[in-house]
Amino acid sequence: MSLIQPQENVENADWLHLMEDENVQWSGRPSRFTILFAIVGGLLFVLGGIVGTLMLLSVLDGQELPVWVGFLPLVLAVVGVVIVGKTYLEWIRLLYVITDEEIYVKHGLISRDVTQIRLDRVQNTSFDQTILERMLSFGDVRIYTAGTSTEDLTFRDVPDPEQIKSTLTQLLSEQSRPDTTTPPT
């Protein structure tokens, strides 16, 4: 039984190695709010470049200046497209997955870097949110593994971090219970 429905269909991902009875409990990316300002800013650059070009071309109409001068504001539009594209690609290239047995963090689209931690190595979890993050319902979930006192993995800016931490806590609790289905030998 899934504790939280997966947000993305990752079961068939070639980098995710699920065992026969292993299920995805949660998958997701950082909150869309984390890229909102960069996307809006980039789109404003695009709009400013287009409007600036139209205005400059109308002002320069009949002037002795070269035509290309009127298109200089389009540089702002190109910068805006680069900002939007880079922001979106940075956001989409990061994916977090929690299964019954493991935690995965995948970086990359073409080349990939996948970090995988077995749940039985997890010692502790925590989450934190600033006031703004609480209002927008996102934050960080920190995962600590056995043998270290430092943070080993962080799900940054994920939606509803309290629920994700709760899911991890429940999975860890289930892992620590003895298996009663197998008769003792």
Side-chain angles (χ1 to χ4, degrees):
M1 180 179 113
S2 182
L3 303 172
I4 303 176
Q5 291 301 315
Q7 295 178 358
E8 298 193 29
N9 184 15
V10 296
E11 283 84 1
N12 297 324
D14 62 349
W15 54 269
L16 187 66
H17 307 291
L18 297 176
M19 302 303 272
E20 195 171 305
D21 59 342
E22 187 176 7
N23 296 306
V24 173
Q25 298 298 321
W26 180 84
S27 64
R29 301 181 187 286
S31 171
R32 287 181 174 93
F33 287 117
T34 61
I35 63 171
L36 180 66
F37 292 117
I39 298 290
V40 169
L43 292 175
L44 288 174
F45 268 82
V46 170
L47 182 63
I50 292 170
V51 169
T53 297
L54 293 174
M55 290 175 56
L56 192 55
L57 284 174
S58 68
V59 168
L60 293 178
D61 193 27
Q63 298 290 327
E64 302 266 337
L65 292 172
V67 176
W68 63 266
V69 172
F71 292 99
L72 280 177
L74 281 182
V75 169
L76 287 177
V78 170
V79 168
V81 167
V82 168
I83 289 171
V84 169
K86 182 181 182 302
T87 300
Y88 180 73
L89 287 175
E90 285 290 318
W91 178 77
I92 202 164
R93 69 181 274 280
L94 180 58
L95 183 63
Y96 303 113
V97 178
I98 300 171
T99 72
D100 301 329
E101 302 291 328
E102 305 198 66
I103 299 169
Y104 296 83
V105 178
K106 180 194 76 83
H107 295 273
L109 292 174
I110 297 170
S111 64
R112 283 188 221 138
D113 177 21
V114 179
T115 302
Q116 179 179 351
I117 297 176
R118 294 180 42 82
L119 279 177
D120 61 6
R121 298 238 333 121
V122 174
Q123 292 291 306
N124 198 7
T125 60
S126 66
F127 78 96
D128 61 79
Q129 297 173 290
T130 65
I131 293 172
L132 179 62
E133 289 170 343
R134 277 195 78 175
M135 289 190 302
L136 298 175
S137 187
F138 71 91
D140 297 341
V141 176
R142 301 181 192 288
I143 300 163
Y144 303 87
T145 60
T148 65
S149 61
T150 60
E151 169 188 327
D152 291 322
L153 195 61
T154 300
F155 286 12
R156 297 207 182 280
D157 301 322
V158 290
D160 202 0
E162 187 172 5
Q163 183 61 45
I164 295 167
K165 186 210 178 294
S166 174
T167 298
L168 282 167
T169 301
Q170 185 168 347
L171 287 168
L172 292 169
S173 175
E174 289 171 5
Q175 287 238 330
S176 66
R177 287 188 210 131
D179 186 7
T180 57
T181 60
T182 309
T185 56

